Amino acid sequence: ATYAAALAPGANSDAVPIHRLRLMRDLRSVLGRDALISVEAGGTHNWYVYGFPAYTPMLEPGDYSIMGSAFCQALAAKVVFPDRQVCSVIGDGALMITVQELATAVAHNLNVLVVVNHNSVYGNMYQKQIKNFGGRHPGTELYMPDMAAVGRAFGCYGEQVSRPEELVPAFRRALASGRPAVID
């Protein structure tokens, strides 16, 4: 109860940009208890490990920080468990590493939900640069397109969300589409 109370301000936040704990709360509310979740390395991984109520083991790279692995893990999980919901929670930079696999998902009808934390930065590396390099950020600030539009270009369902109240309806539409889906 104490832990849940500590997370509550973020989980109930109506702030823009969307607080990651709010994103997790709303995602949890639409996914089934047996949904398989793959979580990206770095900051995305850290938020989900401590803030996402998982009822099945999360597919995650652990301490190896294998950036770009989550989406591929989700695709494999969907092949093995075609009747279960599969969701990949991934950073925008990490999705760009494996973005071509959206074509794989469409070609093989792997209706995985990809939730993109869009902040146009390699977050963990950026934070380390702030701490260790006096504000110099070489190679960590990224130009990032509308990832929902990229998903649609590949044939996925795609939707961009900017306000917390848009999360649950967007997740529901994506899951109902029966196609691979990208919620940015």
Side-chain angles (χ1 to χ4, degrees):
T2 302
Y3 189 70
L7 297 180
N12 297 320
S13 173
D14 290 328
V16 175
I18 299 168
H19 195 287
R20 286 192 184 189
L21 290 172
R22 172 66 186 263
L23 172 68
M24 289 183 272
R25 182 199 79 176
D26 289 1
L27 182 60
R28 174 74 281 163
S29 76
V30 299
L31 292 176
R33 287 182 66 92
D34 71 339
L36 296 168
I37 315 295
S38 67
V39 181
E40 190 54 57
T44 301
H45 173 263
N46 295 339
W47 278 97
Y48 279 80
V49 164
Y50 86 82
F52 188 80
Y55 302 111
T56 60
M58 287 195 284
L59 306 171
E60 49 96 10
D63 293 334
Y64 295 110
S65 295
I66 306 165
M67 194 166 143
S69 64
F71 184 41
C72 296
Q73 291 171 357
L75 293 177
K78 192 64 178 178
V79 168
V80 175
F81 299 102
D83 296 329
R84 290 172 71 177
Q85 290 175 323
V86 177
C87 177
S88 179
V89 180
I90 188 167
D92 51 1
L95 181 57
M96 288 297 286
I97 292 171
T98 57
V99 71
Q100 71 280 0
E101 299 306 336
L102 290 172
T104 301
V106 171
H108 297 283
N109 196 31
L110 302 172
N111 58 333
V112 170
L113 172 60
V114 181
V115 178
V116 183
N117 292 301
H118 193 133
N119 61 2
S120 299
V121 68
Y122 289 132
N124 266 11
M125 290 179 264
Y126 186 82
Q127 292 303 316
K128 289 175 184 174
Q129 289 172 334
I130 290 171
K131 181 180 176 184
N132 299 313
F133 300 109
R136 295 184 317 263
H137 308 112
T140 56
E141 296 174 301
L142 309 170
Y143 169 75
M144 216 37 74
D146 174 344
M147 298 309 290
V150 171
R152 288 191 302 272
F154 274 102
C156 299
Y157 177 87
E159 190 170 340
Q160 192 173 52
V161 172
S162 59
R163 305 195 52 77
E165 64 271 13
E166 298 169 339
L167 288 168
V168 168
F171 294 149
R172 287 188 175 140
R173 286 188 292 271
L175 291 168
S177 76
R179 301 184 348 225
V182 178
I183 300 297
D184 183 355

